[in-house]
Amino acid sequence: MLSTAQQLKAAQGYVLATLAEAGVTWDDADAQAFRARFDVGFPRLFRLFATLYGEHEDCLDHLAKLIGLSLASWQERPGDLKTLDRAREAEPQWFQSNKMLGAFCYVDRYAGDLNGLKDHVPYFKDLGITYLHLMPLFDCPEENSDGGYAVSSYRDVRSDLGTMEDLRALAKDLREAGISLVVDFVFNHTSNEHEWARKAAAGDPEYSDYYWIFEDRRMPDAYERTVREVFPDDHPGAFVQMEDGRWIWTTFHSFQWDLNYSNPAVFCAMAGEMLSLANQGVDLIRMDAVAFIWKRLGTTCESLPEAHLLLQAFNAVCRMAAPSLLFKSEAIVHPDEVVSYIDPEECPISYNPLLMALSWEALATRDVQLIDQAIARRQPIHPECAWVNYVRSHDDIGWTFADEDAAELGIIGFDHRRFLNAFYTNRFEGSFARGEPFQYNPKTGDCRVCGTTASLTGVEAGDAGGIDRMILLYGIAFSAGGIPLISLGDEVGQLNDHSYKDHPGQAGDQRWVGRPMRPDALYDQRTDPTTVPGQIFARMKQLIAARRAAPALAGNAIHSFDTQNRHVLGYVRTGDGPPVYVLANFADTPQALDAQRFLATAPRMTDLIAGEAFQMRTGLTLKPHQILWLG
Ligand code: GLC
Ligand code: GLC
């Protein structure tokens, strides 16, 4: 039996010998730079690889192949990206700045194609955006591709959007404007039109092993006993039948085939796709659907320990071959699970679905207990990591708070979600919201909510508090830490778009209601203060400017602040510089806070957003839905 150190040494020797056999030499500076990172990173990658794939006879051959393709990818990496690698190495925490501001859009819906998007770069820069997430833009099935989340080739841009060359050119333009490019790495599944999927469908055994395919219902039945249904409208359970009668795992739509990561060939192939993406000039990749990437019989097949090891292994590969590339996890699951992916060696950046959902929850209930509890309990993360705080994504709003947290406050999770769903889909009297229900599951009573921010906050319904509610929510996302994210179009109050019902590929998917085309007419009004878009835009710009000027909002340190008022949320941000107290009134009525609350603050503070000064020793009163950043 070899010791761990001996095994490592043997493996390293084997990998280097295999590379030498393939003609690899280490004599130029470029190869040496890789070799230095290999020497540092290999022990970790080996440990992960051995844990995941140690039982495969050819484990080391796969590992050698992986290192070989990483080296080749590094050697192909353009010089300007290597310069960026060095800059990021010198300042690894660059993304923690209060000057960071994220935004996302669909290329086609916002600008027609990649070249069209270039014309908007000056606007993005002017707005203060430093991080732009473009929704999936790679080759995918024509009619329904789940908004591009069914990828048919990771190496080809969807033809109506442009070419890989256009993508590289855009990435360059963005970088020159100080904007990092973010794209998805949809790595849990491919589309059924991917070359690998076509070969699997044709019965090729090598590629059948790239997916979870079974001859009959025996295994699918066994797995389905413990696996949840993510898209029950599309198909029951987790499997669909293939044309030849076999059954294939599809967590999402029937055309999104889950990759089989228990096969090391799949890991190596996908690592190659990831690195080729990195070399296009992508700064950050959004790791899609991370919770689902590993399966084991008898479990929920979500967030299994191996899912973490896989992400760490992908991360270790990047550290060698594309060192500046950062991972953002997309785990819209229980808060404990969300946090479990956040680690400098796994995903240093993560969506914050809990704060997002609970902001909406407090808006509906006018009560801040749950969000206050979450800030106290569930926001701290590793200091080198960051949340992405958002008001809404391109997806549904799911009520992913922990039932056990709610129970402590006397709230029954199931009933509360029913209330929230009814409220946001306008089935509750007096609701200001105009959302649509998504994926109602009669078996569990579960559903989620879709719509744009303006439609869900009451702007669409003409409710007098609509704009204030939008600013309240964005005021929280902009001040709660990490990287705030704007859904482009929200800054001018884009409304729900019901035209998806006429598109065969979208009609069954209510999430499209919240994915409107660029609202040109609203953008045209954005400088006119007599219009609704003009008012929203002016106030969003105020938030952006105030954030840029407040170093206390950098990083993620956040402390809850007890306002002793059920309607008013309070927290303190202590990034760099003097603290900022955030107070947010979720009620429709003015709310007074007692002077006793502010004995420890400066006697006089100023709202960094609107500039109003407050004498803290006399207490203060917030207007309905008002948010203050006191500094
Ligand atoms: C992510 C995406 C979502 C997509 C799913 C499957 O959750 O945000 O739009 O449907 O992954 O890829
Ligand atoms: C995500 C989530 C699910 C969400 C879906 C897309 O991965 O887990 O709750 O609704 O994908 O909308």
Side-chain angles (χ1 to χ4, degrees):
M1 218 15 208
L2 292 179
S3 72
T4 321
Q6 285 167 326
Q7 280 179 17
L8 172 62
K9 207 161 163 238
Q12 186 152 350
Y14 185 82
V15 167
L16 289 173
T18 313
L19 292 182
E21 239 167 77
V24 170
T25 54
W26 302 101
D27 25 53
D28 66 278
D30 217 33
Q32 278 165 16
F34 180 88
R35 180 61 195 267
R37 286 196 304 275
F38 166 84
D39 288 341
V40 175
F42 184 77
R44 177 167 153 241
L45 183 59
F46 169 69
R47 183 171 35 81
L48 292 162
F49 215 78
T51 314
L52 287 163
Y53 303 119
E55 280 167 21
H56 292 254
E57 254 170 39
D58 51 357
C59 171
L60 282 184
D61 293 316
H62 286 289
L63 189 54
K65 194 172 152 206
L66 178 63
I67 301 298
L69 74 85
S70 302
L71 170 62
S73 170
W74 167 254
Q75 286 172 325
E76 281 160 23
R77 191 163 169 81
D80 54 342
L81 296 182
K82 288 180 174 161
T83 308
L84 181 71
D85 290 333
R86 282 192 293 275
R88 298 292 197 227
E89 237 156 24
E91 202 195 341
Q93 291 292 293
W94 61 278
F95 56 86
Q96 303 281 9
S97 160
N98 56 300
K99 303 232 162 66
M100 283 297 287
L101 177 64
F104 73 87
C105 69
Y106 286 87
V107 175
D108 53 346
R109 313 206 125 227
Y110 200 82
D113 59 20
L114 286 167
N115 285 325
L117 200 69
K118 276 177 143 185
D119 300 340
H120 294 279
V121 174
Y123 170 75
F124 298 152
K125 187 177 177 187
D126 192 52
L127 198 60
I129 289 168
T130 62
Y131 157 125
L132 181 67
H133 174 202
L134 299 180
M135 301 309 297
L137 40 82
F138 294 104
D139 189 26
C140 59
E142 201 151 323
E143 189 170 277
N144 189 353
S145 63
D146 189 19
Y149 281 97
V151 178
S152 304
S153 163
Y154 299 87
R155 307 219 181 199
D156 297 292
V157 166
R158 218 173 84 194
S159 58
D160 60 311
L161 300 181
T163 62
M164 263 328 201
E165 217 175 328
D166 297 337
L167 181 63
R168 283 193 292 272
L170 176 67
K172 224 180 186 131
D173 273 22
L174 289 169
R175 202 167 328 117
E176 274 161 25
I179 303 171
S180 299
L181 175 61
V182 186
V183 302
D184 284 84
F185 184 43
V186 184
F187 71 122
N188 173 69
H189 43 265
T190 72
S191 88
N192 58 344
E193 294 181 6
H194 192 284
E195 190 195 334
W196 305 335
R198 289 182 197 273
K199 288 182 179 162
D204 181 327
E206 183 185 345
Y207 288 95
S208 291
D209 282 348
Y210 269 46
Y211 300 92
W212 293 90
I213 298 179
F214 298 99
E215 294 296 326
D216 54 41
R217 281 294 309 176
R218 217 167 34 91
M219 290 308 288
D221 283 340
Y223 278 111
E224 283 178 358
R225 275 197 275 279
T226 50
V227 165
R228 99 178 138 112
E229 295 177 346
V230 178
F231 285 168
D233 284 2
D234 187 74
H235 61 275
F239 289 81
V240 297
Q241 194 159 25
M242 298 167 71
E243 266 169 31
D244 62 9
R246 293 181 297 166
W247 292 84
I248 184 157
W249 198 308
T250 63
T251 298
F252 298 94
H253 294 93
S254 51
F255 51 81
Q256 289 164 303
W257 292 3
D258 287 49
L259 286 164
N260 177 3
Y261 279 100
S262 71
N263 175 359
V266 170
F267 180 87
C268 293
M270 287 305 283
E273 303 308 291
M274 173 183 71
L275 292 179
S276 94
L277 210 61
N279 281 357
Q280 309 309 313
V282 173
D283 289 83
L284 258 130
I285 47 178
R286 173 188 179 277
M287 307 299 282
D288 183 58
V290 292
F292 302 94
I293 56 179
W294 195 269
K295 337 273 190 201
R296 191 185 318 120
L297 196 61
T299 72
T300 59
C301 296
E302 285 186 43
S303 295
L304 294 176
E306 290 85 349
H308 295 284
L309 302 181
L310 272 175
L311 284 163
Q312 290 164 24
F314 277 123
N315 191 322
V317 170
C318 282
R319 300 286 70 80
M320 288 182 203
S324 60
L325 190 74
L326 286 177
F327 289 4
K328 168 171 86 159
S329 74
E330 190 248 353
I332 313 300
V333 286
H334 186 284
D336 288 339
E337 276 176 49
V338 175
V339 172
S340 70
Y341 293 96
I342 306 177
D343 187 277
E345 298 202 334
E346 197 167 324
C347 296
I349 298 175
S350 166
Y351 280 106
N352 192 352
L354 184 63
L355 199 73
M356 183 276 291
L358 292 181
S359 303
W360 290 101
E361 187 271 346
L363 214 52
T365 58
R366 282 81 165 168
D367 187 318
V368 302
Q369 307 183 77
L370 268 174
I371 187 168
D372 180 48
Q373 181 201 48
I375 284 175
R377 183 177 294 180
R378 295 196 178 271
Q379 296 308 295
I381 48 175
H382 190 291
E384 286 164 26
C385 298
W387 288 116
V388 166
N389 282 311
Y390 60 116
V391 171
R392 67 179 201 96
S393 70
H394 66 290
D395 282 333
D396 42 290
I397 299 174
W399 309 108
T400 56
F401 58 84
D403 282 18
E404 56 279 21
D405 290 358
E408 281 176 31
L409 300 168
I411 296 167
I412 300 165
F414 181 81
D415 298 351
H416 202 52
R417 289 188 183 90
R418 272 174 81 112
F419 156 72
L420 291 166
N421 285 326
F423 187 91
Y424 280 106
T425 57
N426 196 21
R427 286 178 287 117
F428 187 86
E429 211 187 308
S431 171
F432 48 76
R434 298 290 180 269
E436 292 212 2
F438 177 59
Q439 301 292 337
Y440 171 67
N441 189 340
K443 282 185 249 170
T444 59
D446 184 35
C447 99
R448 283 106 73 178
V449 171
C450 302
T452 66
T453 307
S455 290
L456 294 176
T457 49
V459 176
E460 179 181 325
D463 186 277
I467 298 179
D468 291 338
R469 287 192 200 93
M470 278 194 76
I471 298 305
L472 174 64
L473 293 188
Y474 270 108
I476 290 174
F478 277 38
S479 64
I483 306 170
L485 185 67
I486 303 176
S487 167
L488 278 172
D490 270 11
E491 77 279 22
V492 291
Q494 67 189 343
L495 298 175
N496 282 350
D497 175 0
H498 294 274
S499 67
Y500 75 97
K501 290 173 183 152
D502 307 324
H503 293 269
Q506 301 173 357
D509 187 339
Q510 296 79 4
R511 290 176 299 172
W512 287 102
V513 82
R515 301 168 179 174
M517 305 292 283
R518 178 180 188 273
D520 295 337
L522 303 185
Y523 272 106
D524 288 346
Q525 295 174 11
R526 72 181 187 275
T527 49
D528 179 350
T530 64
T531 62
V532 169
Q535 286 160 27
I536 296 173
F537 189 68
R539 292 183 64 187
M540 288 290 281
K541 285 196 64 145
Q542 259 185 343
L543 286 179
I544 294 169
R547 175 178 157 80
R548 288 181 73 86
L553 301 183
N556 290 269
I558 188 168
H559 314 279
S560 57
F561 175 78
D562 183 5
T563 61
Q564 292 194 354
N565 179 324
R566 290 272 290 257
H567 307 294
V568 183
L569 176 68
Y571 53 86
V572 189
R573 294 299 319 288
T574 53
D576 306 322
V580 168
Y581 287 72
V582 176
L583 299 171
N585 178 12
F586 281 83
D588 303 315
T589 50
Q591 293 296 319
L593 301 183
D594 197 87
Q596 292 292 328
R597 301 282 82 223
F598 302 107
L599 293 179
T601 70
R604 197 188 129 94
M605 297 190 96
T606 304
D607 172 25
L608 305 178
I609 305 170
E612 196 185 339
F614 289 87
Q615 298 299 339
M616 306 307 287
R617 298 293 175 262
T618 55
L620 54 86
T621 299
L622 288 105
K623 297 187 196 92
H625 313 120
Q626 188 175 26
I627 179 159
L628 300 175
W629 294 354
L630 297 175

